[in-house]
Amino acid sequence: MKNSEIKILLVDDEPDILEIVGYNLKSEGYTVYTAKNGIEAIAKAKQTTPHLIILDIMMPEMDGIEACEKIRATKGLENVLITFFTARGEDYSQVAGFDVGADDYITKPIKPKVLVSKIKALLRRLKVNKNTQSSDTIVVGDIIIDREEYVVIKDDKKLSLPRKEFELFSLLASKPGKVFKRDDILDNVWGNEVVVGGRTIDVHIRKLREKIGDDYFKTVKGVGYKFVLDED
C-alpha cells in the first residue's frame, strides 16, 4: 500500500500540534484528516474510515478514552488502528486507553522524526494483518511477535528465543505499559509445570534485556515487570 493511500485521522485540541504533526505526516505522503475533540473524531472517522487514528486523551467536550470506546463500537471501525497521544507521565490514561481498545500509545512531547518513525512502525500492522490473524501476532513499535511460529522480528531481523523467554516476552508485550505481577507471570508462563522461584523470572528478564533491549523492560519494585516502548 502506497503512503498516499493511507488515511490518518489526527485528533488534538491544540492547533499547534494539528499543524506541526499534520505537516510532518503529509510530508511523508499520507492523507491526513484532523479533528479538535472526541465528538469531531467520531464523525470524521465515520466519514473517512481511516487506517490509523492518533488520538489525544485530554480534550474538551469528549476525551480520547470515551471517543476510542465509541469508535471501537462503531460498525466498520472495529479494526482501525488507534494510538493515543499522551502527555509524559499519564500512566493511568495509558492503562485506561488499552482497556477501551487502543493499540498503542505515543508519549509527547516528541521530535517530529521520531513520531514519523513510530507511525511507520504502527502502520506495518496493516501489512501483517492481511496475512495473519491478530490473535497470533503482536506488533509493538518496530517489533513483531509471531506466536504461532515462536518467532520475534526486530528491525527486520529474526530472533529465536527459548520457549519460556518467548512466552514471557509475548505476555509482557501483549499489553505495553501494564504492570504484570510476579505471581501472574508465574501462572501464565510456567503454570503448574514445575515449582519455580521468583528468581527464575529475573533471570529470564535479564536475558530478554540482552536480546531485545534493556529499555523495553521496566522493573516495578515489589510488584513485577512491564514492557514499555522506547520514548526517546
Side-chain angles (χ1 to χ4, degrees):
M1 184 181 295
K2 298 178 181 178
N3 284 7
S4 59
E5 298 174 331
I6 295 175
K7 296 177 288 185
I8 298 176
L9 174 58
L10 174 62
V11 188
D12 203 295
D13 63 327
E14 296 184 35
D16 287 349
I17 289 181
L18 292 179
E19 182 180 352
I20 295 171
V21 175
Y23 171 79
N24 281 278
L25 293 175
K26 288 176 183 177
S27 295
E28 293 293 321
Y30 301 120
T31 299
V32 180
Y33 303 94
T34 60
K36 299 176 183 177
N37 57 58
I39 295 175
E40 284 188 19
I42 295 170
K44 280 283 181 73
K46 289 178 178 179
Q47 291 171 6
T48 63
T49 314
H51 297 91
L52 169 66
I53 300 175
I54 304 172
L55 191 58
D56 186 29
I57 289 183
M58 303 301 292
M59 296 183 294
E61 297 189 52
M62 181 187 291
D63 65 26
I65 300 294
E66 185 178 355
C68 179
E69 191 170 23
K70 290 183 179 298
I71 289 169
R72 281 285 180 249
T74 301
K75 187 176 181 180
L77 298 175
E78 306 96 327
N79 298 315
V80 171
L81 289 173
I82 299 176
T83 181
F84 278 112
F85 210 17
T86 70
R88 191 174 297 276
E90 288 183 346
D91 291 335
Y92 169 77
S93 295
Q94 292 167 4
V95 173
F98 287 120
D99 286 343
V100 295
D103 295 287
D104 217 327
Y105 68 88
I106 296 172
T107 303
K108 57 182 177 181
I110 185 171
K111 295 178 181 178
K113 288 185 179 179
V114 178
L115 173 63
V116 169
S117 177
K118 288 181 178 291
I119 295 303
K120 288 180 178 179
L122 270 169
L123 291 171
R124 287 180 198 151
R125 303 186 191 192
L126 295 176
K127 298 177 182 178
V128 172
N129 289 340
K130 286 182 180 179
N131 301 311
T132 60
Q133 296 180 356
S134 59
S135 59
D136 293 328
T137 306
I138 298 173
V139 183
V140 280
D142 60 354
I143 301 172
I144 299 173
I145 303 170
D146 187 331
R147 293 192 288 192
E148 187 172 301
E149 296 188 6
Y150 274 70
V151 171
V152 174
I153 300 173
K154 184 175 185 292
D155 297 327
D156 297 322
K157 295 180 181 178
K158 268 188 180 181
L159 301 175
S160 294
L161 303 179
R163 181 183 170 194
K164 291 304 178 187
E165 286 180 31
F166 181 89
E167 291 177 354
L168 174 56
F169 181 39
S170 179
L171 174 67
L172 296 179
S174 67
K175 293 186 178 180
K178 175 181 176 178
V179 179
F180 285 86
K181 296 178 181 178
R182 300 175 74 88
D183 287 345
D184 291 336
I185 293 174
L186 288 172
D187 287 343
N188 280 280
V189 178
W190 280 271
N192 298 320
E193 290 181 12
V194 184
V195 177
V196 296
R199 181 61 182 161
T200 301
I201 300 174
D202 301 333
V203 171
H204 282 69
I205 289 290
R206 176 176 56 80
K207 291 179 179 178
L208 286 174
R209 281 173 168 155
E210 292 172 354
K211 297 173 182 178
I212 307 296
D214 185 59
D215 292 339
Y216 288 106
F217 303 93
K218 300 297 181 184
T219 304
V220 180
K221 291 185 179 179
V223 183
Y225 291 96
K226 66 178 179 177
F227 176 84
V228 295
L229 294 175
D230 185 8
E231 298 178 356
D232 290 342

